[in-house]
Amino acid sequence: MTQAQIQPTADLSHSAESAKRTPWREYFGFSTDHKVIGIQYLVTTFVFYLVGGVLATAVRTELATPESDFVSPEIYNQLFTVHATVMIFLWIVPATTGGFGNFLVPLMIGARDMAFPRLNAIAFWIIPPAGILLLSSFFIGAPEAGWTSYPPLSVVGNKGGEAIWILSVLLLGTSSILAAVNFLVTIWKMRIPSMGFNQMPLFCWAMIATSFLALVATPVLAGALILLGFDLIVGTAFFNPTGGGNPVVYQHLFWFYSHPAVYIMILPVFGMISEILPVHARKPIFGYQAIAYSSLAISFLGLIVWAHHMFTSGTPGWLRMFFMFATMVIAVPTGIKVFSWLGTLWGGKIRLTSAMLFAMGFISMFVIGGISGVMVAAVPFDIHVHDTYFIVAHIHYVLFGGSVFGLYAAFYHWFPKMTGRMLNETWGKVHFALNLVGFNMAFLPMHKLGLEGMNRRIASYDPKYEALNLVCTIGTYILAVSTIPFMVNACWAWIAGPKASNNPWQGLTLEWMTSSPPPVENFEQDPVLATGPYDYGLVKSYESLDDIANQMAALREVRLTRSGRKRAVEPPNPDGPLSIMPPSSPDEG
C-alpha cells in the first residue's frame, strides 16, 4: 500500500481554491506559506555558504605557504572567525532545519501549513539582517577570537567586532528557538488523524529531536553571550579573570549549547538520508523504530557530553572519566543509524542518481568523522591532539562531510518537488565527483598534520608542514570549483529544465502525493493514511495504487459536474504518483 489515500469527502470548492500556484513574487516578500519560507531559507543560506566558502579559500590561501604573506595575522584571525560563524549559524543550522524542515514537515504529515505561519516568517526574516550585520563587522574590524569567542581573548580584543558577533549570534539563536517551537507544535497537533507517531516519516522524528535540543540548549548560549556582552561593554567580570571572573564557566555554558549544536545540524540530515535511501534503493527502511528512537537518544545524550571539549581546561580526573564514557556511548545510537542505512542498501535495487551518490558519500564521510570523534573522546588522545589540525579535520568530516553532503543529497532528491523541474543528472555527478575529491584533499591530510603537532588558528607555521598544507589548499580550490556545476545546473533547471512529474522517484511518503510544485495549501483533498511510508517493493502497495487512481478519477468527475463543466474523465497522469508500475512478480519487488 502507499502511505496515503485521497479523502473522498473533501470540500471540493476549497480544493479548487487551494490548487492555486505560488506567484514568483512571493519568494521576495513576507510570505506565510511554509514552502515559500523553506525555499527562502535555502536560497539565503546558500548565499551565506558561498560567502563562508570565499573566506575559507582566503584562509587556505594564506596557509599555502609557511609565511604569513597573503594577509596580516589580524585579518587571518578575522577570516577564520567569521568563516566558522557563517558556516555554522548561517548555513548548516538554518538550511537543515529552517530550509528543508519548513518545506517538508507539513507536507509529510498532511498539514496545510505550519502551526504558526506568521511566527515562521518572522523566524526567517531575522536571519538576513543578522547575517548582514555579522559581515558588516569587517568594516570596523571583525571579531578575532574564533567562533568559540573564549574570554579573556574575546573581551580584550576588537570590542566593536566582538559586540557585533554577540548580537548576530543572539539574533540567530532567537530565530532557532522560534522555529523549534513551531516544529514541535506542528508535528504534535497537525498530523492527519490517521498518522500515529510510528507512521511518521523518519525526517519528522529527526525534527522532533532537533527541536527539543534547540529549545533546551540555545537559551543557555544566549545567557552566556549576554553575560559576555556585559563583560565586553559594561566592564563587568563574569568571565574576565582580571576582575575576578572565571573564563572556564563561559566554556561550560558555551559547550552546553555548542556540542548539541553539532546534533542540531546533523540530526535533520540523518532524517533526510533515511528518506532518500529507501526511495533510491527500492527497499523498505531497515529498522524504522531503531532509527526513530536513536534520534531521541542522540538528542538526550547530546546534552551530557559537553565537557569533553574541556579535558585540558583543568577538568578533574573523575569528571573526565564520566564525560569520556558519555561521549563514547553516544556512538551507539549513531552506529544504529549507520548500520540501519547499510541494511537498507543491502540487496536493494540501487539507482545511482546524484541524490543517491551524495547520500552514500555522506555515510562514508560521516563514518570517518565519527571514528575520529570516538578517538578524541578518549582523554589521553584528546590531550595529545587538542587544538591541533586533527580537530579541524574531525569537525570538517562531521559537519561538511556529514551535513553538506547530506544537504546536497536532499537538494537533488527534493528539487523536482520544490520547483517542478528536473536537475541534470550528468552535471550532478560531475558535482559529486569534484566535491568528493576536493573535500578529501582538503581535510584528510589534516589528520596527519594534527598528529605531527601543527596547531590550528595560526597564520604561519613550521616549513616541515608545507607540503601537506599545499595539498589541503589545492583541495579547497577544487571544492570551491565544485559549486559551479551545481549552481549552473540549479539555475538552468529552475528556469528551463525539463518538467518533473509529480513523483519522479516513485516515493511513497505524502509529499509525493501532491503536484510538483505543490499548490498553496499542499493537497487538493485531505489525505488519509493507509499504511507506513516505506513499503517499497511490496506488491500490496501497488495494488492499492489502483484503488487510489479510481478514487481520484471519481473525485475529478464530481468536481467537473458541480462546476457545470462536465466532460470526459481524464485518465490518471501516466507520470504521476499513481503510475508506479507493479512488479511482474513478487520476487521482483
Side-chain angles (χ1 to χ4, degrees):
M1 287 186 287
T2 58
Q3 195 190 12
Q5 292 179 338
I6 302 302
Q7 173 61 269
T9 58
D11 181 348
L12 296 179
S13 60
H14 178 78
S15 301
E17 179 66 23
S18 68
K20 294 178 181 175
R21 293 291 185 270
T22 304
W24 63 269
R25 297 178 187 82
E26 287 280 306
Y27 293 97
F28 297 91
F30 189 89
S31 173
T32 55
D33 186 336
H34 72 96
K35 300 180 293 298
V36 174
I37 294 172
I39 292 174
Q40 287 175 327
Y41 264 108
L42 291 175
V43 174
T44 303
T45 56
F46 189 77
V47 171
F48 284 120
Y49 170 61
L50 295 178
V51 173
V54 170
L55 298 176
T57 305
V59 168
R60 286 310 316 177
T61 302
E62 170 58 61
L63 293 173
T65 57
E67 299 80 20
S68 178
D69 50 7
F70 180 65
V71 293
S72 68
E74 292 75 19
I75 297 295
Y76 177 82
N77 289 343
Q78 295 174 11
L79 289 174
F80 74 70
T81 297
V82 178
H83 156 71
T85 307
V86 167
M87 288 302 198
I88 291 171
F89 294 107
L90 287 162
W91 160 234
I92 301 177
V93 171
T96 53
T97 57
F100 285 102
N102 263 298
F103 190 91
L104 293 174
V105 166
L107 285 168
M108 285 182 166
I109 62 174
R112 295 190 181 279
D113 208 323
M114 296 288 285
F116 308 113
R118 292 181 186 277
L119 194 68
N120 200 24
I122 291 170
F124 165 72
W125 283 106
I126 290 175
I127 290 176
I132 293 170
L133 180 65
L134 176 65
L135 296 177
S136 70
S137 65
F138 278 111
F139 293 106
I140 63 170
E144 303 176 34
W147 81 280
T148 56
S149 202
Y150 280 173
L153 181 60
S154 57
V155 294
V156 298
N158 183 345
K159 293 193 174 184
E162 194 62 36
I164 288 177
W165 182 88
I166 291 172
L167 180 58
S168 299
V169 176
L170 280 174
L171 287 171
L172 295 168
T174 303
S175 170
S176 182
I177 291 172
L178 297 179
V181 171
N182 217 347
F183 282 122
L184 286 176
V185 176
T186 301
I187 295 173
W188 189 268
K189 301 293 291 185
M190 299 183 69
R191 283 173 290 121
I192 55 176
S194 53
M195 181 182 283
F197 279 105
N198 284 332
Q199 285 81 45
M200 281 196 312
L202 288 165
F203 180 70
C204 298
W205 275 102
M207 288 305 298
I208 291 175
T210 305
S211 302
F212 167 76
L213 262 184
L215 273 184
V216 174
T218 309
V220 177
L221 175 66
L225 294 183
I226 290 171
L227 296 180
L228 184 66
F230 276 113
D231 280 5
L232 183 74
I233 299 170
V234 182
T236 56
F238 294 105
F239 307 127
N240 192 343
T242 60
N246 189 346
V248 176
V249 174
Y250 173 84
Q251 294 185 29
H252 278 287
L253 296 174
F254 178 83
W255 286 113
F256 184 81
Y257 164 81
S258 295
H259 188 79
V262 174
Y263 302 109
I264 291 172
M265 289 180 258
I266 204 74
L267 276 170
V269 180
F270 287 167
M272 296 171 197
I273 298 301
S274 299
E275 300 298 329
I276 294 168
L277 293 182
V279 176
H280 295 270
R282 310 312 298 168
K283 271 190 67 184
I285 191 79
F286 182 84
Y288 171 91
Q289 290 185 327
I291 294 177
Y293 299 153
S294 65
S295 293
L296 301 182
I298 291 172
S299 181
F300 171 74
L301 292 171
L303 291 169
I304 59 172
V305 301
W306 76 90
H308 79 250
H309 293 273
M310 302 163 59
F311 286 156
T312 61
S313 300
T315 306
W318 65 270
L319 201 56
R320 285 175 174 175
M321 292 302 104
F322 169 78
F323 282 104
M324 181 177 76
F325 176 74
T327 306
M328 289 184 173
V329 166
I330 207 169
V332 175
T334 308
I336 288 173
K337 288 184 182 297
V338 173
F339 284 113
S340 296
W341 293 330
L342 296 180
T344 304
L345 293 175
W346 184 268
K349 292 183 176 180
I350 296 174
R351 297 182 294 193
L352 291 178
T353 59
S354 301
M356 190 60 159
L357 289 173
F358 271 105
M360 293 195 293
F362 157 84
I363 295 174
S364 305
M365 299 303 103
F366 180 76
V367 165
I368 295 174
I371 291 173
S372 61
V374 174
M375 293 167 69
V376 297
V379 174
F381 188 84
D382 181 79
I383 291 173
H384 176 68
V385 300
H386 187 78
D387 264 345
T388 70
Y389 262 83
F390 191 92
I391 303 300
V392 180
H394 162 66
I395 195 170
H396 280 87
Y397 266 88
V398 171
L399 293 186
F400 195 110
S403 299
V404 179
F405 271 70
L407 279 168
Y408 278 136
F411 271 119
Y412 283 98
H413 183 67
W414 280 293
F415 187 89
K417 178 56 61 181
M418 292 178 173
T419 64
R421 303 279 182 172
M422 295 297 294
L423 286 165
N424 182 287
E425 278 293 313
T426 301
W427 282 110
K429 289 168 183 171
V430 170
H431 174 212
F432 170 75
L434 288 172
N435 207 67
L436 189 69
V437 172
F439 172 79
N440 282 292
M441 280 186 67
F443 300 113
L444 192 62
M446 290 184 186
H447 292 97
K448 184 172 174 58
L449 286 171
L451 290 172
E452 291 181 352
M454 179 174 169
N455 287 328
R456 59 176 174 172
R457 296 169 179 159
I458 52 173
S460 57
Y461 54 85
D462 191 315
K464 69 179 182 181
Y465 302 128
E466 182 175 7
L468 286 178
N469 271 292
L470 185 59
V471 173
C472 295
T473 301
I474 295 171
T476 303
Y477 293 157
I478 295 174
L479 205 52
V481 170
S482 75
T483 58
I484 295 175
F486 171 71
M487 289 189 293
V488 172
N489 193 5
C491 293
W492 175 84
W494 204 336
I495 296 170
K499 290 187 177 179
S501 64
N502 294 339
N503 193 357
W505 311 125
Q506 299 175 335
L508 296 179
T509 43
L510 286 184
E511 77 271 22
W512 302 109
M513 301 302 150
T514 185
S515 60
S516 298
V520 172
E521 292 188 342
N522 297 343
F523 300 96
E524 293 190 20
Q525 287 86 36
D526 295 332
V528 292
L529 199 65
T531 185
Y534 305 109
D535 289 344
Y536 297 101
L538 303 182
V539 173
K540 59 182 182 180
S541 67
Y542 300 103
E543 292 172 345
S544 176
L545 289 172
D546 293 336
D547 297 336
I548 297 174
N550 293 333
Q551 290 184 44
M552 291 191 68
L555 283 169
R556 190 176 295 111
E557 183 177 20
V558 171
R559 183 167 63 249
L560 292 172
T561 301
R562 290 184 179 181
S563 64
R565 295 185 292 112
K566 180 172 173 50
R567 53 184 169 82
V569 176
E570 298 174 0
N573 180 358
D575 296 325
L578 309 177
S579 66
I580 303 171
M581 296 301 294
S584 56
S585 70
D587 292 337
E588 288 188 17

